[in-house]
């Protein structure tokens, strides 16, 4: 099975507070101009995206300076449901999953916020986030990186809440993956393969990605592996229906 972890881009999709809204418009339409072309305006840290160390630490690598090996490896998902709003994920929270947090693995943190994704005050301001204390625990366990289903690794609105984990993990050149969806099927305590290759943007501190997780053997043959379906919000798919023309 191949699991899609991406959250979609669309007009006014949820993103970190204070950033200008996303805009995706049709520059031309196939039903009029023979081909459909979109004009996209959105922040590099919106939708599912990865952070480069340069994001917080300008002396460290940008997206284009990181090797492809930075973005793939073994992963495991942790079930972190039940945290209250704006909960700082601490070392004690992570120790409950200590046997799963091993050297060289990507940790995917499912708080349940991915299912809340919408332009609401709860989703946009109150996601559970990685604390500095929790980030240090991950460093001590020598993980390769982490992903989270909230808007950011850090919290909102305090500067310390936002920056502490970022600086620790990016300072150690760990991969940070933000604003993702983690399927419930991944909470079975099994290791799988993971990849989150970014769009190659020169001199950038972050880039969009379509992260995936897959089971052993899925990509080892010529036949296609089964996939989980990608579902867009209803209000997004209804807009697409207006742009369709005859075959």
């Amino acid at each position: 099975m191949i699991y899609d972890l991406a959250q979609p881009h669309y007009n006014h999709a949820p993103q970190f507070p204070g950033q200008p809204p996303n805009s995706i418009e049709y520059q031309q339409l196939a039903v009029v101009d023979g081909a459909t072309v979109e004009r996209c305006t959105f922040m590099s840290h919106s939708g599912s995206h990865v952070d480069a160390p340069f994001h917080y630490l300008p002396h460290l690598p940008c997206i284009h300076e990181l090797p492809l090996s930075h973005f793939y490896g073994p992963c495991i998902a942790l079930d972190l449901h039940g945290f209250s709003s704006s909960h700082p994920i601490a070392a004690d929270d992570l120790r409950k999953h200590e046997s799963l947090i091993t050297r060289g693995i990507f940790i995917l943190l499912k708080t349940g916020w991915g299912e809340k994704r919408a332009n609401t005050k709860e989703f946009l301001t109150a996601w559970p986030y990685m604390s500095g204390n929790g980030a240090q625990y991950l460093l001590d366990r020598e993980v390769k990186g982490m992903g989270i289903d909230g808007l950011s690794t850090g919290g909102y609105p305090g500067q310390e809440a936002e920056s502490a984990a970022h600086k620790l993990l990016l300072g150690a050149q760990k991969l940070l993956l933000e604003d993702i969806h983690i399927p419930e099927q991944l909470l079975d305590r099994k290791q799988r393969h993971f990849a989150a290759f970014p769009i190659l943007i020169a001199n950038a501190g972050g880039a969009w990605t379509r992260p995936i997780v897959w089971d052993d053997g899925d990509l080892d043959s010529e036949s296609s592996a089964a996939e989980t379906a990608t579902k867009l919000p209803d209000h997004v798919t209804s807009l697409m229906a207006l742009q369709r023309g005859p075959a």
Side-chain angles (χ1 to χ4, degrees):
M1 182 68 75
I2 300 175
Y3 303 89
D4 188 358
L5 273 58
Q7 295 281 22
H9 291 279
Y10 53 87
N11 275 319
H12 297 276
Q15 62 184 34
F16 201 87
Q19 296 183 353
N22 289 326
S23 173
I24 303 175
E25 300 176 345
Y26 290 101
Q27 181 71 23
Q28 61 186 57
L29 293 172
V31 294
V32 176
D33 304 301
T36 296
V37 178
E38 296 80 21
R39 178 193 295 269
C40 302
T41 304
F42 38 80
M43 307 298 288
S44 59
H45 293 262
S46 64
S48 297
H49 65 277
V50 292
D51 290 352
F54 179 73
H55 180 38
Y56 270 83
L57 302 160
H59 61 289
L60 292 181
C62 303
I63 283 291
H64 79 275
E65 296 172 316
L66 294 166
L68 291 178
S69 59
H70 186 75
F71 303 100
Y72 70 87
C75 75
I76 199 155
L78 305 185
D79 187 352
L80 299 186
H81 283 95
F83 289 144
S84 60
S85 297
S86 302
H87 176 82
I89 301 169
D92 286 345
D93 297 316
L94 298 170
R95 285 193 187 96
K96 299 173 184 177
H97 307 272
E98 187 168 73
S99 63
L100 304 179
I101 304 174
T102 56
R103 183 177 183 272
I105 199 167
F106 289 102
I107 304 300
L108 304 177
L109 306 178
K110 184 173 179 64
T111 68
W113 240 249
E115 285 73 30
K116 300 174 183 282
R117 191 176 192 250
N119 284 311
T120 63
K121 183 176 182 179
E122 180 185 35
F123 182 80
L124 295 175
T125 68
W127 64 90
Y129 65 94
M130 184 58 62
S131 70
N133 171 265
Q136 186 59 56
Y137 176 81
L138 294 180
L139 291 179
D140 293 342
R141 300 292 292 175
E142 299 184 82
V143 303
K144 191 170 183 181
M146 61 158 278
I148 193 165
D149 57 358
L151 277 179
S152 177
T153 299
Y156 178 87
Q159 184 174 358
E160 177 67 14
E162 181 182 344
S163 66
H166 275 105
K167 289 181 177 179
L168 281 168
L169 293 167
L170 293 176
Q173 301 201 35
K174 304 298 183 181
L175 177 66
L176 298 186
L177 171 64
E178 301 170 342
D179 196 7
I180 59 174
H181 165 69
I182 303 173
E184 292 285 336
Q185 300 100 302
L186 297 184
L187 300 180
D188 57 4
R189 303 173 65 86
K190 293 182 180 178
Q191 287 194 18
R192 291 178 170 87
H193 303 288
F194 162 87
F197 296 113
I199 300 296
L200 190 58
I201 307 176
N203 306 317
W208 315 286
T209 181
R210 187 164 187 176
I212 62 169
V213 168
W214 69 95
D215 294 315
D216 284 336
D218 278 342
L219 305 182
D220 295 339
S221 67
E222 295 182 5
S223 60
S224 297
E227 301 181 30
T228 54
T230 299
K231 180 173 172 53
L232 296 178
D234 291 341
H235 68 280
V236 177
T237 54
S238 64
L239 289 175
M240 175 57 72
L242 300 177
Q243 311 300 337
R244 295 295 189 192

